[in-house]
Amino acid sequence: QVQLVESGGGLVQAGGSLRLSCAASGRAFSTYAAGWFRQAPGKEREFVAAISWSGGKTNYADSVKGRFTISKDNAKNTVSLQMNSLKPEDTAVYYCAAKIGAYIGRAYYTQGDYDYWGRGTQVTVSS
């Protein structure tokens, strides 16, 4: 059993920055990879960023490359998403996810790969 809790969302002006955090709790029985997804009103949930268990492999959606950075601290059981140069189209509920039993050097970007999900945190970017 793994519980994920996101934090750090809020209201920010376009061009600003936010840092989202995902805290994982519960006994770890295997290695895990992590990812961030988002869902805007009236739209499907979409991939944002992913990171391997080792932290050595990352993947980003084209829409956030160069602006967002995903990181992972296995010692602290946290996953973060640094979001810079935010745009109104980044407005969405952001979810973190964890895949257990992951290959240590592989990042996963398909929703079906993930086993645990947080409840989400709202990010609103005003123009």
Side-chain angles (χ1 to χ4, degrees), residues 52-89:
S52 63
W53 181 87
S54 68
K57 177 72 178 298
T58 59
N59 291 111
Y60 296 93
D62 289 340
S63 60
V64 306
K65 285 182 178 178
R67 299 189 298 120
F68 291 11
T69 302
I70 187 171
S71 61
K72 189 168 182 281
D73 188 335
N74 289 339
K76 297 182 178 180
N77 291 317
T78 58
V79 181
S80 298
L81 184 69
Q82 179 66 46
M83 305 185 295
N84 298 326
S85 301
L86 284 163
K87 305 174 180 179
E89 50 263 45

Side-chain angles (χ1 to χ4, degrees), residues 6 17 19 28 36 41 57 66 74 77 92 95 101 110 126-127:
E6 303 96 335
S17 299
R19 185 177 179 85
W36 286 94
K57 177 72 178 298
N74 289 339
N77 291 317
Y95 301 87
T110 301
S126 64
S127 60

